């Protein structure tokens, strides 16, 4: 049998948890999206996506001594390619 104090505290914790849920959940739902955003963006009016732009420089690690056999360790040639690439990058 549980002491009376523990039963009262358990009931008190459930009440406090319930009150917190009643207060916090509606606030969380309201904060998520305003009515203005709902009108601006819809399935027929989605925001545009900016396409990323990449440099056209490509480095083939075979040119730096890599062997494409699946057995050779190509660490040095990959590091050479990375070094060459980083030297050509303009900050």
């Amino acid at each position: 049998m549980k002491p009376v104090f523990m039963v009262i505290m358990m009931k008190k914790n459930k009440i406090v948890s319930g009150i917190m849920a009643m207060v916090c959940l509606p606030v969380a739902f309201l904060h998520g999206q305003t009515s203005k955003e709902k009108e601006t963006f819809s399935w027929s009016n989605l925001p545009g996506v900016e396409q990323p732009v990449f440099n056209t420089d490509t480095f083939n690690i075979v040119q730096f001594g890599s062997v494409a056999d699946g057995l050779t360790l190509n660490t040095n040639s990959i590091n050479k390619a990375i070094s060459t690439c980083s030297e050509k990058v303009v900050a």
Side-chain angles (χ1 to χ4, degrees):
M1 188 168 176
K2 294 182 183 181
V4 175
F5 175 75
M6 287 184 68
V7 172
I8 292 172
M9 288 305 293
M10 288 173 56
K11 287 182 180 178
K12 201 176 203 181
N13 285 341
K14 287 181 182 178
I15 292 171
V16 170
S17 297
I19 291 171
M20 291 298 290
M22 289 188 319
V23 170
C24 293
L25 286 177
V27 171
F29 285 123
L30 291 175
H31 182 69
Q33 189 177 34
T34 63
S35 60
K36 182 179 178 185
E37 289 173 340
K38 288 180 185 178
E39 292 171 6
T40 305
F41 298 119
S42 65
W43 286 109
S44 61
N45 182 26
L46 293 175
V49 178
E50 186 177 327
Q51 294 293 324
V53 178
F54 299 102
N55 291 339
T56 57
D57 294 341
T58 56
F59 295 92
N60 189 345
I61 60 172
V62 174
Q63 295 173 345
F64 294 92
S66 287
V67 180
D69 63 359
L71 301 172
T72 306
L73 185 63
N74 294 313
T75 306
N76 291 333
S77 58
I78 293 171
N79 285 337
K80 288 178 192 176
I82 292 171
S83 295
T84 303
C85 178
S86 65
E87 289 171 3
K88 292 188 177 190
V89 172
V90 178

